[in-house]
Amino acid sequence: NPYILATLLFGLGLGTTITFASSHWLLAWMGLEINTLAIIPLMAQHHHPRAVEATTKYFLTQATAAAMLLFASTTNAWLTGQWDIQQMSHPFPLTLITLALALKIGLAPMHTWLPEVLQGLDLTTGLVLSTWQKLAPFALLLQIQNVNPTILVTLGLASTLAGGWGGLNQTQLRKVLAYSSIAHLGWMILILQYSPSLTLLALLTYFVMTFSTFLVFKLNKSTSINALAISWTKAPILTSLTPLVLLSLGGLPPLTGFMPKWLILQELAKQDLAPLATLAALSALLSLYFYLRISYAMTLTMSPNNLTGVTPWRFSSPQLTLPLAIATTATISLL
């Protein structure tokens, strides 16, 4: 029903906006909660056991994270008499809130729910989960001052490594995208303490790249690597562009995805954290491997010669192809 869909999407926007605008922890928590409750019906809209399972898993993790957040902010008010987000001073609630927000967006080692949940959703809801749902917790992470840098660096490094290792043995595209999301979030958290503007840049470029990747897979109607091997007949033009999109996601120059990594490594080196930068760069190689694998499956394997499969790409709707064209161009040439 379009009315219900409109209401849910409005709730989704409202929750994020409330969190953006809040300076009081209770209001921020309320925004996150509205956000979670609005996306849950969207996730379970296909009444399939797998979708319902994913929704339940998502609901439980988000409820846990929200409860942790509420507990930490109440503790902070009890210890310091402050409800203000930017006035956090006590290390205990600070650490707890950082961990709660990390659980919300799926940073390692609290990342195990994300691939499971994303695998159970269709590509459109998966896209919303991978992009829009990250905004509100990120706004809070950016606002919290004086967190112990060790925690953020540990979370960031763990995420880039977990995102790299986890994606290696996956054949399901949604799980690969989930691990890729974890790795990208790791890069963002790594630099959060030293240069928040770089974090925002990385988030923005990640959104553009993820958007085009999800739309490509949606147009192809493909959910596993096997389905990509026959995409040449479905959408020839798209198939020749997709490897560039994927390699941009992996962060190869001269594509857009290289920009945030380049600047983040430069900033880490400026902060005398060369070993950290080296580790992060090496962990990016892991992600690059599985992007290359998908690109290989898509363009360098011979497709079966079936003439009936040649037609679908002529009839794709402009609602999908226009944003796809814009996002793909941005993903490939923004550097």
Side-chain angles (χ1 to χ4, degrees):
N1 190 324
Y3 293 117
I4 294 177
L5 184 65
T7 311
L8 290 176
L9 288 175
F10 174 72
L12 208 59
L14 181 74
T16 307
T17 316
I18 287 178
T19 307
F20 274 7
S22 58
S23 58
H24 190 289
W25 272 117
L26 270 182
L27 205 58
W29 168 79
M30 191 175 77
L32 291 170
E33 209 60 11
I34 292 172
N35 210 348
T36 306
L37 290 177
I39 200 174
I40 278 174
L42 288 174
M43 293 167 87
Q45 63 186 339
H46 304 289
H47 292 293
H48 185 277
R50 189 67 186 84
V52 175
E53 181 195 337
T55 313
T56 313
K57 284 177 178 172
Y58 182 74
F59 174 68
L60 289 174
T61 48
Q62 296 299 310
T64 310
M68 268 175 76
L69 190 88
L70 199 55
F71 171 65
S73 48
T74 317
T75 311
N76 184 59
W78 177 49
L79 289 169
T80 62
Q82 278 286 358
W83 277 102
D84 203 296
I85 295 180
Q86 302 203 338
Q87 304 294 331
M88 300 275 289
S89 52
H90 200 282
F92 174 67
L94 261 175
T95 309
L96 210 53
I97 276 183
T98 312
L99 291 176
L101 292 170
L103 176 61
K104 261 210 175 300
I105 52 180
L107 283 167
M110 287 84 80
H111 67 286
T112 37
W113 61 272
L114 186 59
E116 291 294 321
V117 168
L118 205 58
Q119 180 57 29
L121 306 179
D122 68 317
L123 288 166
T124 321
T125 321
L127 176 61
V128 174
L129 181 67
S130 300
T131 54
W132 186 258
Q133 291 300 88
K134 307 259 190 270
L135 282 172
F138 247 99
L140 292 177
L141 275 171
L142 281 165
Q143 282 183 73
I144 303 173
Q145 307 294 325
N146 53 34
V147 186
N148 185 356
T150 322
I151 296 170
L152 288 178
V153 163
T154 312
L155 283 171
L157 207 53
S159 299
T160 54
L161 288 164
W165 287 123
L168 287 181
N169 60 349
Q170 299 299 334
T171 56
Q172 296 294 325
L173 292 177
R174 283 166 295 184
K175 278 195 174 175
V176 167
L177 285 170
Y179 281 112
S180 130
S181 164
I182 294 164
H184 277 274
L185 287 171
W187 279 86
M188 291 169 217
I189 293 293
L190 212 51
I191 199 69
L192 188 68
Q193 200 71 3
Y194 307 107
S195 172
S197 52
L198 268 187
T199 299
L200 282 174
L201 176 77
L203 191 65
L204 200 66
T205 48
Y206 165 71
F207 277 9
V208 171
M209 296 185 297
T210 308
F211 194 67
S212 53
T213 317
F214 268 98
L215 286 184
V216 163
F217 292 159
K218 192 174 161 57
L219 193 69
N220 260 338
K221 297 188 177 61
S222 49
T223 51
S224 70
I225 292 184
N226 293 348
L228 283 181
I230 55 168
S231 66
W232 184 258
T233 46
K234 290 192 216 164
I237 303 161
L238 201 63
T239 309
S240 48
L241 274 179
T242 312
L244 288 174
V245 172
L246 287 165
L247 292 177
S248 177
L249 207 52
L252 269 190
L255 305 163
T256 310
F258 175 57
M259 174 170 56
K261 289 192 172 164
W262 182 20
L263 293 169
I264 285 172
L265 290 174
Q266 186 183 356
E267 183 60 38
L268 285 174
K270 272 186 196 163
Q271 300 284 349
D272 282 339
L273 295 169
L276 190 65
T278 314
L279 272 172
L282 286 173
S283 69
L285 289 177
L286 294 166
S287 309
L288 192 60
Y289 175 80
F290 59 79
Y291 294 125
L292 268 171
R293 185 164 137 228
I294 300 175
S295 312
Y296 180 85
M298 211 163 174
T299 46
L300 299 174
T301 45
M302 288 291 286
S303 64
N305 198 1
N306 60 337
L307 288 170
T308 48
V310 178
T311 43
W313 64 279
R314 301 171 195 275
F315 306 116
S316 44
S317 63
Q319 289 90 353
L320 184 57
T321 44
L322 181 68
L324 177 62
I326 298 168
T328 310
T329 315
T331 304
I332 292 173
S333 57
L334 270 184
L335 181 63

